[in-house]
Amino acid sequence: MDRIDAMKVFVAALAEGSLAGAGRKLGKSPAAVSRAIAFLEAHVGAELLHRTTRSIRLSDAGERYAVACRRILTDLEEADIAAAGERSAPRGRLTVTAAVAVGEALLRPILDAFMNAHPTVSVRLHLLDRPANLIDEGIDVALRIAHLADSTLVALPVGEVRRVTTASPRYLAKHPRIAVPADLAEHQVVAMTHFGIDSWSFPPAAGAGSTGTMPRTVQFAPRFVVNSLRAAVASAAEGRGVLRSFSYHVADEVADGRLRIILAQDEPPPLPVHLVVPHGRLSVPKVRAFVDFALPKLRAGFADWCRVCTPKAETPRARRRTG
């Protein structure tokens, strides 16, 4: 049996979540898929997959081998593309990842339009509120909201997002004024795990003398803690309390007046947004085509969100475009 073909079966099984799924994707019988996995296990001398009737799970050896297989198959794909040159058109499966909220609101419509423009490309979108390892997880492109440090990745700037504090006009009308972060300790708070459930940190106060280099941390006892972004935003918009989130999370609610940004002068610096691609993948036609297609739409979307969430844009206006 050809080892490269067997590796393709192995990687497809991981992507599809089952041996049967790999068979459907590759047009192989269940027996042929099982033989390919058995061939690889005999070759490496270790069990790669723990199998049940309904699922598969990587062994420790399988996890290490999967990383190597993905890299080998990626290198082969890039070699084929380099040999084909300009004759190679975008085709095959494009794998993209992003955080859940931005993926649903902005990236998913862009991917729909991209698939309409490129019928020979299919897309697998992973919406994850964690940073995926692009190489190990076989991902072509990621939309990242963070300061980046990994020099093995190509980062293309898209825009920036703010970490904003908001509350509904109804809540603000019924409670004491919030002029500085310390005032939050006396207010009701709607908290989400990844933004802090019992404290929020703010930059040092301007002109604070010897304490001006120390962040200001506000402790609070939240009235409502929830692990759903949509639930948190809805609760804050209904007057339950003060919320901290990324600016794009609340752009619609700020635009139509259901939420108002407060403490804008005390926000942390904005976080950069990038499209991130493993080194060398931009030469792959499907990846290059998607990046060229998506970048201007993503930049327009983030710029629109930024305009909505600036202090002068806190009055009702039209909903943002999502490309």
Side-chain angles (χ1 to χ4, degrees):
M1 181 174 290
D2 183 271
R3 197 174 355 152
I4 296 300
D5 285 342
M7 286 181 178
K8 290 178 180 177
V9 172
F10 178 54
V11 170
L14 300 180
E16 300 298 320
S18 69
L19 299 184
R24 288 190 295 271
K25 181 179 184 297
L26 299 175
K28 293 182 179 291
S29 68
V33 170
S34 295
R35 282 197 302 271
I37 302 300
F39 169 78
L40 288 180
E41 290 178 330
H43 178 77
V44 301
E47 184 180 41
L48 301 176
L49 294 174
H50 301 305
R51 306 165 182 79
T52 69
T53 55
R54 294 187 177 181
S55 66
I56 56 174
R57 181 169 56 86
L58 282 169
S59 66
D60 290 342
E63 288 183 1
R64 295 189 296 270
Y65 196 64
V67 172
C69 286
R70 289 191 182 103
R71 287 176 177 163
I72 290 168
L73 295 176
T74 296
D75 288 344
L76 285 173
E77 181 186 11
E78 292 174 358
D80 290 343
I81 289 164
E86 295 181 355
R87 294 174 299 163
S88 183
R91 56 184 170 81
R93 176 184 286 172
L94 178 77
T95 304
V96 184
T97 187
V100 175
V102 71
E104 290 177 344
L106 183 59
L107 187 57
R108 195 275 309 160
I110 292 173
L111 284 166
D112 282 350
F114 176 73
M115 287 186 285
N116 288 340
H118 296 278
T120 56
V121 178
S122 61
V123 174
R124 175 162 289 189
L125 175 60
H126 296 285
L127 298 180
L128 307 167
D129 282 329
R130 64 167 177 83
N133 186 310
L134 272 60
I135 301 298
D136 291 354
E137 298 182 46
I139 293 170
D140 296 304
V141 185
L143 183 62
R144 290 271 171 86
I145 301 171
H147 294 286
L148 303 176
D150 192 346
S151 61
T152 66
L153 303 175
V154 177
L156 305 165
V158 169
E160 61 183 23
V161 299
R162 291 159 53 198
R163 284 163 284 185
V164 297
T165 307
T166 57
S168 73
R170 179 173 56 180
Y171 177 89
L172 294 171
K174 293 180 178 179
H175 294 82
R177 180 170 176 261
I178 303 173
V180 295
D183 294 338
L184 293 170
E186 304 302 322
H187 280 264
Q188 297 179 23
V189 169
V190 177
M192 292 184 290
T193 304
H194 48 294
F195 280 90
I197 61 171
D198 56 14
S199 68
W200 293 337
S201 182
F202 294 84
S210 61
T211 62
T213 60
M214 297 296 293
R216 292 169 290 171
T217 299
V218 179
Q219 303 284 339
F220 52 79
R223 182 73 189 279
F224 183 42
V225 179
V226 61
N227 65 348
S228 162
L229 170 66
R230 291 181 181 179
V233 173
S235 185
E238 291 171 7
R240 180 56 57 195
V242 182
L243 174 71
R244 196 175 212 190
S245 67
F246 286 139
S247 49
Y248 68 85
H249 292 156
V250 294
D252 283 349
E253 289 72 18
V254 170
D256 61 24
R258 285 179 289 157
L259 286 175
R260 184 178 301 162
I261 293 177
I262 59 175
L263 299 176
Q265 72 280 4
D266 295 295
E267 290 175 11
L271 287 172
V273 185
H274 295 87
L275 269 186
V276 180
V277 183
H279 183 72
R281 293 299 285 170
L282 277 176
S283 63
V284 178
K286 65 184 178 184
V287 178
R288 179 80 261 176
F290 173 70
V291 168
D292 290 344
F293 183 91
L295 262 181
K297 293 176 173 58
L298 288 169
R299 286 169 175 162
F302 276 97
D304 201 11
W305 275 332
C306 184
R307 283 191 296 272
V308 169
C309 289
T310 54
K312 65 182 179 181
E314 291 176 20
T315 55
R317 52 155 283 172
R319 285 179 175 260
R320 68 182 186 278
R321 299 184 310 274
T322 59

